[in-house]
Amino acid sequence: MSARLCILAVAAFVTGGGAPAVARVQEATVASVAVEAPTTERLAMNVRIFDGVWKEVRDRYYDPGLHGVDWDAAGEAWRPQALAATTDRALYAALRSMLRLLDDTHANVMEPAAARRQDAARLSRAVMGVTLALQDSGVWRIEQVRAGSPAEAAGVMPGWVLADVDGETWGPDLEVVDGRPTRLGLLDDAGVRRDITLTPRVMEPPPLFIADRTRPGVAVLTIAAFRPGLGAWMGEQLAAIPADDAVILDLRGNPGGHLAEADAVLSCFLPRGRAWATRTARSGRHAVMRTSGGCGSLRRPAANEVVVLVDASSRSAAELTPAALQEAGRALIVGRKTAGAVLIAQETDLPDGGRMILSRFDFITIGGTRLEKQGVIPDLEAETSPEDRRVQRDPALDAAVEAVSARRAAAAALAAAKAA
């Protein structure tokens, strides 16, 4: 199995925790038996994948105590169901249920179809045009509808719940096929079912990084994910922004990404060598993380005033970054409390083309805060709802802009008082 180290969030595939770990092992349901037995080839693959995932957790999970879970009992509880699986959905459901015992939002698996979508995320591909978020209740809610997409043309709205796709419960294993009509079973705000048929089509990927300079004295830099090239892009943007202008970093809905790019963003605003976090490996060894100074072509950190926008879908690197800037007194944080999913994880390719994500390091801010399960607490609470997005309102961004104006007015008043 090959592996990649990054700060990664996979909210779309996480179903959450619940009862204490030992109780959940005892309650694991293994009674559902496949109607038909798996083929010999399928059984062999099921064995390879389940045993590989189980051993990977046992041997390489960041916490050698496995959060108190009896991992032998977990394997005994879920292995029969995994081996009896005749579909990817059944196999990965068993794996996901076992990993859920760790109560760790990073510990997860992706079906081969989901892994292919992840790999093609930055390529032209067939899309419906909706961004889905799994709620604590277990339903998939539409967070955003992409402009110009089949979903927008069909009248799909943010905030609606996706009940089924072509009569099947939505899952990461389902494929989206160009030109194939797809019926979405949706529940609107009133709970009324709406059956909408749309035809996925190939679209270019949306930009990862967007600069908006339309507001006087304010530059809004929206970062969709911490991906390669972010540091260079940030340096280029900041070099063109006057020092008197404020910079708003919009990290809402950002699932995280590469640790090196989080360091690059921090290096745009903090001096080189500034300690901002400590990571701890399974062995217990600690390593202090310091800014490397890599913000594109900038020779020194930008002096601009900084505000960071976050929400409940800001995860991993999109939490580490505002936390470090907040602790350094370098940025005002506006929005909603972040997800609290900040363990440093590693992706491992599975034999069938699927993927496993597993936490390899614990993370504590340089101020001693463990953000996992806690999240970043904003300095100023503000929220943009799906209803706001439908009518193109953004109260959270408005609050960030107003905070900039208020801070400037306060600074001007203080300067005037000193001069008097």
Side-chain angles (χ1 to χ4, degrees):
M1 295 188 290
S2 61
R4 294 172 293 278
L5 184 64
C6 60
I7 298 179
L8 181 73
V10 285
F13 308 118
V14 174
T15 54
V22 173
R24 292 198 303 272
V25 171
Q26 293 171 343
E27 293 168 3
T29 302
V30 297
S32 63
V33 179
V35 175
E36 58 185 272
T39 65
T40 302
E41 293 77 11
R42 176 93 223 186
L43 176 60
M45 183 61 74
N46 290 350
V47 170
R48 285 183 65 193
I49 293 173
F50 184 89
D51 290 352
V53 167
W54 184 88
K55 291 174 183 176
E56 189 83 355
V57 174
R58 181 195 64 185
D59 298 337
R60 302 192 64 186
Y61 190 59
Y62 87 98
D63 175 15
L66 302 179
H67 292 179
V69 176
D70 183 338
W71 202 238
D72 288 333
E76 291 175 4
W78 290 107
R79 193 172 191 270
Q81 185 167 321
L83 268 55
T86 59
T87 64
D88 288 346
R89 173 172 290 196
L91 170 62
Y92 280 79
L95 291 168
R96 197 170 289 118
S97 295
M98 181 176 70
L99 291 172
R100 195 181 304 138
L101 302 174
L102 296 171
D103 196 21
D104 173 354
T105 55
H106 282 81
N108 206 358
V109 284
M110 296 183 196
E111 290 86 340
R116 288 193 294 271
R117 277 199 299 275
Q118 184 186 66
D119 292 341
R122 304 313 306 158
L123 304 173
S124 298
R125 62 189 180 96
V127 299
M128 293 188 290
V130 295
T131 300
L132 298 170
L134 186 61
Q135 307 301 297
D136 291 340
S137 60
V139 302
W140 295 90
R141 189 177 73 175
I142 295 174
E143 291 291 289
Q144 296 182 17
V145 177
R146 184 175 173 182
S149 69
E152 182 188 56
V156 177
M157 291 290 179
W160 289 2
V161 169
L162 179 62
D164 57 73
V165 178
D166 289 330
E168 293 187 64
T169 303
W170 166 255
D173 59 310
L174 295 183
E175 299 274 11
V176 177
V177 180
D178 179 34
R180 184 175 72 190
T182 302
R183 182 179 60 78
L184 304 184
L186 299 160
L187 302 178
D188 65 17
D189 292 336
V192 176
R193 182 179 175 94
R194 296 171 179 257
D195 289 315
I196 295 179
T197 297
L198 54 80
T199 303
R201 62 181 176 86
V202 174
M203 297 184 71
E204 293 291 325
L208 284 174
F209 321 130
I210 301 173
D212 178 4
R213 299 292 307 281
T214 59
R215 295 169 178 80
V218 177
V220 181
L221 304 182
T222 300
I223 303 170
F226 285 74
R227 297 300 182 193
L230 173 57
W233 180 84
M234 284 284 296
E236 178 183 344
Q237 298 302 318
L238 291 170
I241 298 172
D244 291 339
D245 284 6
V247 173
I248 297 177
L249 299 181
D250 190 347
L251 304 183
R252 292 174 295 174
N254 186 315
H258 292 257
L259 183 61
E261 298 301 337
D263 173 79
V265 173
L266 291 174
S267 295
C268 291
F269 303 105
L270 299 176
R272 180 189 293 269
R274 175 69 177 258
W276 59 278
T278 299
R279 70 180 188 183
T280 304
R282 179 185 174 99
S283 65
R285 182 178 179 181
H286 303 292
V288 176
M289 302 166 71
R290 300 178 182 274
T291 51
S292 65
C295 181
S297 59
L298 286 188
R299 296 184 178 180
R300 60 182 61 88
N304 306 74
E305 182 180 3
V306 184
V307 177
V308 183
L309 268 172
V310 295
D311 64 9
S313 297
S314 302
R315 305 167 66 88
S316 289
E319 300 182 84
L320 309 184
T321 302
L325 293 173
Q326 186 181 50
E327 286 192 345
R330 188 62 185 87
L332 180 76
I333 312 303
V334 176
R336 302 292 293 176
K337 186 177 74 169
T338 62
V342 297
L343 297 174
I344 301 175
Q346 187 176 55
E347 290 183 331
T348 301
D349 293 330
L350 299 175
D352 65 345
R355 195 159 292 157
M356 177 185 184
I357 306 95
L358 192 66
S359 301
R360 308 294 187 178
F361 298 93
D362 200 358
F363 173 92
I364 298 175
T365 70
I366 205 63
T369 300
R370 189 171 189 268
L371 295 172
E372 182 71 13
K373 303 298 183 186
Q374 176 175 317
V376 179
I377 309 299
D379 301 300
L380 176 63
E381 291 275 342
E383 183 174 15
T384 297
S385 68
E387 293 73 19
D388 290 321
R389 284 192 284 272
R390 290 178 200 169
V391 295
Q392 299 184 341
R393 285 194 306 252
D394 196 341
L397 178 57
D398 292 341
V401 174
E402 290 169 8
V404 169
S405 298
R407 285 160 69 100
R408 286 177 174 172
L414 180 60
K418 288 182 177 180

